[in-house]
PDB file of all heavy atoms in Angstrom:
ATOM      1  N   TYR K  62      89.983 123.229  87.079  1.00 87.00           N
ATOM      2  CA  TYR K  62      88.567 122.875  87.179  1.00 87.00           C
ATOM      3  C   TYR K  62      87.997 122.449  85.840  1.00 87.00           C
ATOM      4  O   TYR K  62      87.159 121.550  85.797  1.00 87.00           O
ATOM      5  CB  TYR K  62      87.764 124.030  87.809  1.00 87.00           C
ATOM      6  CG  TYR K  62      87.955 124.089  89.294  1.00 87.00           C
ATOM      7  CD1 TYR K  62      88.757 125.063  89.886  1.00 87.00           C
ATOM      8  CD2 TYR K  62      87.334 123.150  90.121  1.00 87.00           C
ATOM      9  CE1 TYR K  62      88.941 125.076  91.253  1.00 87.00           C
ATOM     10  CE2 TYR K  62      87.516 123.161  91.482  1.00 87.00           C
ATOM     11  CZ  TYR K  62      88.328 124.144  92.046  1.00 87.00           C
ATOM     12  OH  TYR K  62      88.512 124.148  93.379  1.00 87.00           O
ATOM     13  N   ILE K  71      83.426 112.697  81.432  1.00 79.00           N
ATOM     14  CA  ILE K  71      83.767 111.485  80.685  1.00 79.00           C
ATOM     15  C   ILE K  71      83.531 110.253  81.561  1.00 79.00           C
ATOM     16  O   ILE K  71      83.004 109.235  81.090  1.00 79.00           O
ATOM     17  CB  ILE K  71      85.248 111.517  80.234  1.00 79.00           C
ATOM     18  CG1 ILE K  71      85.462 112.622  79.223  1.00 79.00           C
ATOM     19  CG2 ILE K  71      85.658 110.199  79.656  1.00 79.00           C
ATOM     20  CD1 ILE K  71      86.881 112.757  78.779  1.00 79.00           C
ATOM     21  N   TYR K  72      83.918 110.366  82.831  1.00 80.00           N
ATOM     22  CA  TYR K  72      83.772 109.213  83.723  1.00 80.00           C
ATOM     23  C   TYR K  72      82.313 108.862  83.954  1.00 80.00           C
ATOM     24  O   TYR K  72      81.937 107.709  84.028  1.00 80.00           O
ATOM     25  CB  TYR K  72      84.463 109.484  85.054  1.00 80.00           C
ATOM     26  CG  TYR K  72      85.775 108.836  85.153  1.00 80.00           C
ATOM     27  CD1 TYR K  72      86.855 109.322  84.446  1.00 80.00           C
ATOM     28  CD2 TYR K  72      85.953 107.703  85.925  1.00 80.00           C
ATOM     29  CE1 TYR K  72      88.071 108.709  84.504  1.00 80.00           C
ATOM     30  CE2 TYR K  72      87.183 107.080  85.994  1.00 80.00           C
ATOM     31  CZ  TYR K  72      88.226 107.596  85.274  1.00 80.00           C
ATOM     32  OH  TYR K  72      89.431 106.964  85.324  1.00 80.00           O
ATOM     33  N   GLN K 149     108.588  85.743 111.762  1.00 88.00           N
ATOM     34  CA  GLN K 149     109.662  85.317 110.858  1.00 88.00           C
ATOM     35  C   GLN K 149     109.640  83.802 110.789  1.00 88.00           C
ATOM     36  O   GLN K 149     109.552  83.141 111.815  1.00 88.00           O
ATOM     37  CB  GLN K 149     111.013  85.778 111.417  1.00 88.00           C
ATOM     38  CG  GLN K 149     111.211  87.277 111.415  1.00 88.00           C
ATOM     39  CD  GLN K 149     111.118  87.847 110.022  1.00 88.00           C
ATOM     40  OE1 GLN K 149     111.489  87.201 109.051  1.00 88.00           O
ATOM     41  NE2 GLN K 149     110.579  89.050 109.916  1.00 88.00           N
ATOM     42  N   ILE K 165      98.678  87.311  89.591  1.00 83.00           N
ATOM     43  CA  ILE K 165      98.902  87.448  88.148  1.00 83.00           C
ATOM     44  C   ILE K 165      98.346  86.267  87.354  1.00 83.00           C
ATOM     45  O   ILE K 165      98.038  86.413  86.191  1.00 83.00           O
ATOM     46  CB  ILE K 165     100.430  87.590  87.890  1.00 83.00           C
ATOM     47  CG1 ILE K 165     100.974  88.765  88.680  1.00 83.00           C
ATOM     48  CG2 ILE K 165     100.727  87.807  86.443  1.00 83.00           C
ATOM     49  CD1 ILE K 165     102.439  88.947  88.568  1.00 83.00           C
ATOM     50  N   ILE K 170      93.650  79.664  83.761  1.00 77.00           N
ATOM     51  CA  ILE K 170      94.658  78.614  83.966  1.00 77.00           C
ATOM     52  C   ILE K 170      94.201  77.626  85.014  1.00 77.00           C
ATOM     53  O   ILE K 170      94.348  76.431  84.880  1.00 77.00           O
ATOM     54  CB  ILE K 170      95.980  79.292  84.363  1.00 77.00           C
ATOM     55  CG1 ILE K 170      96.692  79.716  83.091  1.00 77.00           C
ATOM     56  CG2 ILE K 170      96.827  78.374  85.190  1.00 77.00           C
ATOM     57  CD1 ILE K 170      98.082  79.239  82.989  1.00 77.00           C
ATOM     58  N   ASN K 261      80.112  91.446  91.371  1.00 84.00           N
ATOM     59  CA  ASN K 261      80.241  91.720  89.938  1.00 84.00           C
ATOM     60  C   ASN K 261      80.816  90.589  89.138  1.00 84.00           C
ATOM     61  O   ASN K 261      80.908  90.674  87.923  1.00 84.00           O
ATOM     62  CB  ASN K 261      81.122  92.954  89.751  1.00 84.00           C
ATOM     63  CG  ASN K 261      80.364  94.228  89.991  1.00 84.00           C
ATOM     64  OD1 ASN K 261      79.168  94.267  89.831  1.00 84.00           O
ATOM     65  ND2 ASN K 261      81.067  95.260  90.378  1.00 84.00           N
TER      66      ASN K 261
ATOM     67  N   GLU T  75     108.775  81.060 117.145  1.00 85.00           N
ATOM     68  CA  GLU T  75     108.178  82.053 116.276  1.00 85.00           C
ATOM     69  C   GLU T  75     107.836  81.472 114.905  1.00 85.00           C
ATOM     70  O   GLU T  75     106.773  81.730 114.354  1.00 85.00           O
ATOM     71  CB  GLU T  75     109.137  83.240 116.130  1.00 85.00           C
ATOM     72  CG  GLU T  75     108.428  84.484 115.657  1.00 85.00           C
ATOM     73  CD  GLU T  75     109.400  85.628 115.474  1.00 85.00           C
ATOM     74  OE1 GLU T  75     110.309  85.743 116.294  1.00 85.00           O
ATOM     75  OE2 GLU T  75     109.208  86.393 114.519  1.00 85.00           O
ATOM     76  N   THR T 101      96.908  71.991  84.482  1.00 85.00           N
ATOM     77  CA  THR T 101      96.603  72.601  83.198  1.00 85.00           C
ATOM     78  C   THR T 101      97.764  72.395  82.232  1.00 85.00           C
ATOM     79  O   THR T 101      97.570  72.067  81.062  1.00 85.00           O
ATOM     80  CB  THR T 101      96.348  74.109  83.362  1.00 85.00           C
ATOM     81  OG1 THR T 101      95.373  74.292  84.355  1.00 85.00           O
ATOM     82  CG2 THR T 101      95.858  74.706  82.074  1.00 85.00           C
ATOM     83  N   ARG T 173      88.628 122.483  95.731  1.00 78.00           N
ATOM     84  CA  ARG T 173      87.448 122.319  96.579  1.00 78.00           C
ATOM     85  C   ARG T 173      86.813 120.967  96.283  1.00 78.00           C
ATOM     86  O   ARG T 173      86.842 120.478  95.171  1.00 78.00           O
ATOM     87  CB  ARG T 173      86.453 123.443  96.312  1.00 78.00           C
ATOM     88  CG  ARG T 173      87.103 124.772  96.019  1.00 78.00           C
ATOM     89  CD  ARG T 173      86.205 125.895  96.396  1.00 78.00           C
ATOM     90  NE  ARG T 173      86.167 126.041  97.857  1.00 78.00           N
ATOM     91  CZ  ARG T 173      85.062 126.178  98.570  1.00 78.00           C
ATOM     92  NH1 ARG T 173      83.917 126.163  97.991  1.00 78.00           N
ATOM     93  NH2 ARG T 173      85.131 126.310  99.879  1.00 78.00           N
ATOM     94  N   ILE T 187      83.262 100.347  91.328  1.00 78.00           N
ATOM     95  CA  ILE T 187      82.153  99.722  92.046  1.00 78.00           C
ATOM     96  C   ILE T 187      81.173  99.044  91.069  1.00 78.00           C
ATOM     97  O   ILE T 187      80.715  97.944  91.328  1.00 78.00           O
ATOM     98  CB  ILE T 187      81.374 100.769  92.846  1.00 78.00           C
ATOM     99  CG1 ILE T 187      82.319 101.552  93.736  1.00 78.00           C
ATOM    100  CG2 ILE T 187      80.273 100.142  93.684  1.00 78.00           C
ATOM    101  CD1 ILE T 187      83.043 100.682  94.692  1.00 78.00           C
ATOM    102  N   LEU T 237      86.273 105.297  77.003  1.00 75.00           N
ATOM    103  CA  LEU T 237      85.691 105.339  78.343  1.00 75.00           C
ATOM    104  C   LEU T 237      86.007 104.090  79.125  1.00 75.00           C
ATOM    105  O   LEU T 237      86.305 104.121  80.324  1.00 75.00           O
ATOM    106  CB  LEU T 237      84.170 105.475  78.234  1.00 75.00           C
ATOM    107  CG  LEU T 237      83.728 106.842  77.744  1.00 75.00           C
ATOM    108  CD1 LEU T 237      82.236 106.907  77.719  1.00 75.00           C
ATOM    109  CD2 LEU T 237      84.268 107.906  78.643  1.00 75.00           C
ATOM    110  N   LEU T 240      89.436 104.327  80.412  1.00 79.00           N
ATOM    111  CA  LEU T 240      89.504 105.221  81.576  1.00 79.00           C
ATOM    112  C   LEU T 240      88.865 104.560  82.796  1.00 79.00           C
ATOM    113  O   LEU T 240      89.308 104.752  83.921  1.00 79.00           O
ATOM    114  CB  LEU T 240      88.792 106.529  81.288  1.00 79.00           C
ATOM    115  CG  LEU T 240      89.457 107.395  80.234  1.00 79.00           C
ATOM    116  CD1 LEU T 240      88.791 108.752  80.184  1.00 79.00           C
ATOM    117  CD2 LEU T 240      90.914 107.554  80.542  1.00 79.00           C
ATOM    118  N   MET T 341     100.990  87.174  78.833  1.00 89.00           N
ATOM    119  CA  MET T 341     100.662  88.186  79.816  1.00 89.00           C
ATOM    120  C   MET T 341     101.862  88.485  80.731  1.00 89.00           C
ATOM    121  O   MET T 341     102.196  89.648  80.970  1.00 89.00           O
ATOM    122  CB  MET T 341      99.512  87.627  80.658  1.00 89.00           C
ATOM    123  CG  MET T 341      98.723  88.646  81.382  1.00 89.00           C
ATOM    124  SD  MET T 341      97.419  87.732  82.212  1.00 89.00           S
ATOM    125  CE  MET T 341      97.732  88.242  83.862  1.00 89.00           C
TER     126      MET T 341
END
Side-chain angles (χ1 to χ4, degrees):
Chain K
Y62 282 104
I71 293 178
Y72 258 73
Q149 292 300 327
I165 304 177
I170 276 232
N261 280 333
Chain T
E75 199 181 322
T101 308
R173 323 208 75 228
I187 307 301
L237 289 183
L240 293 189
M341 201 177 123

